[in-house]
Amino acid sequence: MFYVKWGFIIAFWLLVASFFHYTLPQVDIARVTDTYEKRIDPGENRLFWAQADAGSDPNAISRDVFFIQTRRADGKVMVYRNEDTGWGWPPYFKFDTSNLQAEAADAKSTSAAPQYVAIRHYGWRNEFFSIFPNAISVWPVEGPEANKPLPWLNALILLFLAAIFYGIWVRWRRFREKRIDPKLEEMQDSWEATEDSFAEKRSRLRRWWAAKRRGY
């Protein structure tokens, strides 16, 4: 039972950590190598695609999606999708997909004359399931060793959520101490009293039976 309990606790916090790691913004330093547009038919990985761009048919089965090809400062290739988030989740309220694609196309460069940019995005890259992170914004930086901006937004969001969870936990603890624990103590006392009563009755019955046997 102990291992089952801790297994559920660990699984819960891993799920929470994965959710925030996917949703919260991250910044990469990379060089844009190409931009293109591709027709996408979301399938089993539909959960990892945003909805159709603002103004498009939200019920369309397939749609055109912008992509940004890059090579990171460490030499690894990374491909980002460029989709609107609109009013949906995550709440980035992104409506400027076309403008962002134009900015990315204007920032293209070659290895002979590299021009690096910072790409703010959320999400994961998984080649097996064809999952791409979604680019949120792009801006030029001095070079591959440029410092990434401090994740103030992530820290504020996590601090805000931690305060909410702490407030809920404090209120739950107070409610438990005032309402639940006294009831549990009453039930325990009642159970112990019942057990004592049964024990006393059994003892009387044994004494009566022993006296009856001695009488015979």
Side-chain angles (χ1 to χ4, degrees):
M1 188 64 181
F2 173 81
Y3 294 104
V4 173
K5 174 185 176 181
W6 277 103
F8 277 113
I9 293 175
I10 293 173
F12 171 78
W13 285 113
L14 282 176
L15 184 63
V16 171
S18 298
F19 171 79
F20 284 117
H21 186 266
Y22 179 88
T23 305
L24 292 178
Q26 304 174 43
V27 176
D28 295 334
I29 305 299
R31 177 173 59 85
V32 179
T33 59
D34 197 10
T35 57
Y36 65 95
E37 185 177 359
K38 182 180 179 181
R39 174 70 70 174
I40 295 297
D41 298 297
E44 296 179 353
N45 61 354
R46 182 179 299 274
L47 178 64
F48 298 96
W49 293 92
Q51 70 253 2
D53 292 345
S56 302
D57 182 6
N59 299 318
I61 299 176
S62 62
R63 61 179 182 272
D64 293 329
V65 177
F66 291 125
F67 288 89
I68 303 172
Q69 291 180 325
T70 68
R71 186 175 292 275
R72 288 180 173 177
D74 59 6
K76 296 181 179 180
V77 172
M78 175 58 67
V79 180
Y80 303 87
R81 59 189 167 97
N82 179 16
E83 294 186 281
D84 282 350
T85 60
W87 301 103
W89 186 267
Y92 288 100
F93 309 110
K94 179 187 173 187
F95 297 93
D96 60 345
T97 292
S98 297
N99 292 347
L100 181 61
Q101 193 72 4
E103 293 176 7
D106 186 58
K108 287 194 298 184
S109 64
T110 63
S111 57
Q115 177 185 347
Y116 285 88
V117 296
I119 303 176
R120 178 174 283 113
H121 65 90
Y122 73 89
W124 301 324
R125 177 71 173 107
N126 187 294
E127 291 84 359
F128 184 78
F129 293 104
S130 296
I131 299 172
F132 301 89
N134 191 12
I136 302 299
S137 59
V138 175
W139 67 93
V141 294
E142 294 180 356
E145 304 300 328
N147 294 325
K148 298 179 182 179
L150 294 176
W152 293 110
L153 178 60
N154 294 9
L156 290 174
I157 292 175
L158 293 176
L159 183 62
F160 176 72
L161 292 175
I164 292 178
F165 283 126
Y166 178 75
I168 293 174
W169 178 76
V170 169
R171 284 164 176 75
W172 162 251
R173 187 180 62 178
R174 291 175 180 173
F175 175 78
R176 185 186 63 187
E177 291 175 352
K178 292 182 179 180
R179 302 289 184 177
I180 299 179
D181 289 349
K183 294 294 182 182
L184 293 177
E185 291 177 0
E186 290 179 5
M187 292 174 62
Q188 183 177 1
D189 293 342
S190 177
W191 178 256
E192 291 176 353
T194 302
E195 287 185 338
D196 293 341
S197 177
F198 281 146
E200 184 179 355
K201 290 181 180 179
R202 285 196 299 268
S203 178
R204 290 179 181 177
L205 181 61
R206 291 193 189 100
R207 291 197 298 269
W208 175 81
W209 180 248
K212 190 173 181 62
R213 292 183 64 183
R214 285 196 299 268
Y216 283 109

